[in-house]
């Protein structure tokens, strides 16, 4: 896990998983293990950010790799960098989890709040990690860096946790008007920046 | 207004759409425009791709080594099941299959005592490591409702709701061990689809059955037996791995 695997290596692993046939799954299982070793830390970091509990994030990661195992054959059509494709799957499993919980528990926000204030305070200077990121992610990273810490936090939480302006205001304990301004300015800045890079 | 002729507005809407902050009627209008116009659709896809990169930017963290074990076991369990049921995919599908098998079994067993009947399904769980106790708790409707596994190594009881039963807001479900000496509380269930409780092996071993009662919110006070009706009940089986 020390050297970041290249996109081509990850793609080759996904294709080995997709190529399995009934009764001949050994190679696919080895490929899944290699894919897991190369990417689990990354996907777990993402899951943890979305669901904010280690136990639950581990359940999300488990579901994510089982999904990857199942839908590896769709990767070719996705046209995305492998880690982004896997990231989107993980986010979607994590959001399923949050929705399930939100419908079951009313105290969800209380729990999330604590974690959010932690991440806002703890990681504000540079919460991002491009060690394994695709070119596309690197461009987004460069553009997000141009935002103020809090704007960046609001934009990335809006996406990662699929939050509305109102939910963001509640979780970040910030007036709705401020959230709307941050998101609007954040998106303006991203639009200009991404437009010039990509 | 034709937004495909207003590039700045289109770009802004597409970015908000992909971020997820475009909501309600505005979101629905944008979606119908995207269906009609390839320019709008393309812009939405570009922004979805850009935002997707957000998932690559979180710092790495180390999950517990158990996570891989669980994945490996589930993948192998699926393969073991594939011969019998090719459509099986994923844990939820697996549970669904278990539930159906259970119902078939029950149909075959019509005439047997229906109240609080007990069934055990061990097949998919045999592949999981360290799971040594399994019970399927069912109620009068003769439908599996709660799947219980106990891993003595981690002292972890895992309950999975596989039926549609959901208690009212003001009530809680409470899990009981039913040794000969009388019911012992094993804990109160949260409202989640999956509930984890902690138990010691000596609370579980030699217990012939588990049961779930419907109690006031938070459960009965410590030391007391169940006060509400027993909703689900099932025998506890120690699996040999």
């Amino acid at each position: 896990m020390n050297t970041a695997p290249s996109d081509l290596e990850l793609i080759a692993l996904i294709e080995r998983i997709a190529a399995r046939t009934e009764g001949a799954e050994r190679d696919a299982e080895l490929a899944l293990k290699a894919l897991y070793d190369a990417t689990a830390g990354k996907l777990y970091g993402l899951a943890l950010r979305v669901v904010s509990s280690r136990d639950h994030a581990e359940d999300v990661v488990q579901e994510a790799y089982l999904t990857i195992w199942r839908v590896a054959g769709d990767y070719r059509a996705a046209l995305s960098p492998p880690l982004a494709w896997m990231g989107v799957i993980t986010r979607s499993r994590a959001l399923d989890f949050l929705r399930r919980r939100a419908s079951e528990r009313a105290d969800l926000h209380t729990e999330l709040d604590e974690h959010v204030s932690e991440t806002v305070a703890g990681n504000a200077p540079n919460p991002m990690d491009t060690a394994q990121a695709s070119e596309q992610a690197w461009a987004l990273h460069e553009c997000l860096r141009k935002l103020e810490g809090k704007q960046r936090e609001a934009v990335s939480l809006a996406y990662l946790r699929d939050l509305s302006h109102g939910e963001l205001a509640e979780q970040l304990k910030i007036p709705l008007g401020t959230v709307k301004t941050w998101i609007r300015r954040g998106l303006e800045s991203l639009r200009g920046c991404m437009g010039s890079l990509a | 207004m034709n937004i495909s002729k207003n590039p700045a507005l289109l770009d802004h809407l597409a970015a908000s759409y992909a971020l997820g902050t475009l909501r309600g009627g505005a979101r629905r209008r944008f979606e119908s425009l995207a269906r009609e116009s390839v320019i709008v659709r393309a812009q939405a896809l570009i922004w979805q791709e850009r935002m997707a990169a957000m998932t690559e930017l979180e710092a790495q963290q180390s999950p517990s080594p158990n996570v891989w074990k669980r994945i490996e076991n589930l993948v192998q369990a699926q393969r073991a099941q594939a011969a019998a049921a090719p459509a099986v995919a994923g844990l939820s599908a697996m549970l669904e299959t278990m539930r159906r098998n259970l119902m078939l079994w029950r149909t075959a067993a019509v005439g047997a005592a229906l109240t609080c009947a007990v069934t055990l399904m061990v097949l998919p769980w045999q592949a999981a490591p360290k799971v040594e106790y399994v019970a399927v708790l069912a109620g009068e409707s003769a439908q599996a409702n709660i799947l219980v596994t106990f891993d003595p190594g981690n002292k972890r009881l895992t309950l999975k709701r596989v039926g549609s039963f959901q208690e009212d807001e003001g009530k809680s479900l409470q899990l009981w061990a039913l040794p000969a000496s009388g019911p012992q509380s094993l804990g109160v269930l949260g409202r989640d689809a999956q509930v984890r409780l902690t138990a010691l092996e000596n609370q579980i071993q030699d217990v012939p059955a588990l049961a779930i009662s419907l109690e006031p919110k938070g459960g009965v006070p410590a030391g007391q037996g169940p006060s509400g009706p027993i909703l689900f009940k099932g025998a506890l089986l120690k699996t040999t791995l």
Side-chain angles (χ1 to χ4, degrees):
Chain A
M1 197 120 92
N2 291 332
T3 48
S6 73
D7 280 6
L8 287 179
E9 287 168 309
L10 296 179
I11 291 169
L13 292 174
I14 295 171
E15 292 190 337
R16 275 168 63 195
I17 296 170
R20 70 184 187 273
T21 53
E22 214 171 296
E25 281 143 328
R26 187 67 197 138
D27 183 63
E29 284 173 14
L30 291 173
L32 183 68
K33 168 68 170 149
L35 189 67
Y36 181 89
D37 286 344
T39 55
K42 205 67 189 159
L43 297 191
Y44 180 60
L46 167 64
L48 203 50
R49 182 71 186 289
V50 182
V51 303
S52 41
S53 126
R54 295 198 162 265
D55 265 6
H56 297 145
E58 289 182 352
D59 288 349
V60 166
V61 166
Q62 173 190 317
E63 287 301 308
Y65 282 95
L66 290 173
T67 306
I68 290 163
W69 173 257
R70 210 160 54 229
V71 304
D74 300 344
Y75 173 68
R76 194 168 268 281
L79 303 179
S80 304
L83 206 53
W85 179 73
M86 295 168 71
V88 167
I89 287 174
T90 306
R91 169 179 173 265
S92 141
R93 292 286 78 82
L95 291 176
D96 287 349
F97 173 86
L98 286 185
R99 281 184 209 111
R100 229 170 25 236
R101 295 230 322 164
S103 67
E104 284 163 5
R105 308 175 61 130
D107 58 348
L108 177 68
H109 290 305
T110 336
E111 263 176 51
L112 285 181
D113 274 349
E114 285 164 25
H115 179 78
V116 171
S117 44
E118 237 169 69
T119 52
V120 172
N123 293 336
N126 185 6
M128 298 171 289
D129 171 24
T130 51
Q132 289 186 29
S134 62
E135 260 178 63
Q136 175 186 260
W138 190 84
L140 181 71
H141 173 259
E142 287 306 294
C143 292
L144 284 169
R145 259 174 20 138
K146 299 195 165 118
L147 305 182
E148 273 174 46
K150 287 177 170 183
Q151 278 184 22
R152 186 169 63 219
E153 182 69 8
V155 169
S156 57
L157 275 185
Y159 180 75
L160 292 175
R161 291 196 183 141
D162 193 23
L163 301 175
S164 66
H165 289 125
E167 289 161 340
L168 270 174
E170 206 174 305
Q171 287 199 15
L172 295 171
K173 298 197 175 71
I174 286 163
L176 182 59
T178 312
V179 164
K180 286 186 175 170
T181 308
W182 283 1
I183 293 285
R184 194 185 65 241
R185 290 194 187 143
L187 282 180
E188 289 302 313
S189 162
L190 275 190
R191 282 177 48 212
C193 179
M194 293 300 282
S196 69
L197 278 178
Chain B
M1 180 177 39
N2 186 348
I3 56 165
S4 50
K5 292 197 175 127
N6 184 341
L9 178 61
L10 169 59
D11 195 48
H12 178 78
L13 288 173
S16 315
Y17 171 77
L19 186 69
T21 48
L22 189 70
R23 300 258 163 155
R27 186 174 191 87
R28 286 192 293 277
R29 280 193 297 281
F30 182 82
E31 284 167 347
S32 14
L33 288 170
R35 272 180 217 111
E36 289 158 17
S37 155
V38 67
I39 297 171
V40 177
R41 196 154 65 237
Q43 202 62 15
L45 289 173
I46 287 170
W47 274 106
Q48 280 179 335
E49 275 291 298
R50 287 172 174 171
M51 295 297 180
M54 206 99 75
T55 64
E56 295 184 57
L57 297 177
E58 292 304 313
Q60 293 204 38
Q61 306 266 349
S62 301
S64 131
N66 290 335
V67 179
W68 170 251
K69 276 270 149 225
R70 273 151 49 189
I71 294 169
E72 190 178 32
N73 286 321
L74 287 165
V75 164
Q76 286 169 1
Q78 277 178 28
R79 185 174 56 185
Q81 275 212 338
V88 168
L91 180 61
S92 52
M94 198 164 88
L95 285 169
E96 182 52 31
T97 309
M98 288 180 64
R99 216 163 63 77
R100 255 176 307 178
N101 290 347
L102 203 61
M103 281 156 67
L104 282 176
W105 183 89
R106 288 185 182 292
T107 315
V110 164
L114 282 177
T115 309
C116 297
V118 164
T119 305
L120 294 162
M121 285 290 300
V122 288
L123 182 76
W125 296 96
Q126 280 179 337
K130 298 183 215 150
V131 173
E132 291 196 344
Y133 298 85
V134 183
V136 174
L137 308 187
E140 285 196 22
S141 64
Q143 206 177 56
N145 256 292
I146 297 192
L147 181 70
V148 183
T149 56
F150 177 60
D151 170 4
N154 291 321
K155 303 182 176 54
R156 180 179 273 179
L157 262 171
T158 305
L159 289 81
K160 255 186 203 299
R161 294 173 186 249
V162 294
S164 54
F165 180 85
Q166 185 74 56
E167 65 274 25
D168 292 337
E169 278 295 341
K171 298 280 187 183
S172 289
L173 296 182
Q174 189 159 2
L175 178 69
W176 303 88
L178 301 178
S181 56
Q184 299 292 323
S185 174
L186 291 172
V188 176
L189 280 65
R191 300 176 61 82
D192 294 346
Q194 179 165 325
V195 177
R196 285 173 172 162
L197 299 171
T198 303
L200 298 174
E201 189 165 14
N202 63 18
Q203 292 178 275
I204 303 288
Q205 67 187 167
D206 304 325
V207 168
L210 301 178
I212 288 199
S213 67
L214 185 65
E215 302 293 351
K217 191 147 187 100
V220 297
Q224 294 185 16
S227 71
I230 298 286
L231 295 181
F232 314 115
K233 193 175 164 186
L236 184 67
L237 182 85
K238 184 170 185 177
T239 64
T240 45
L241 302 179

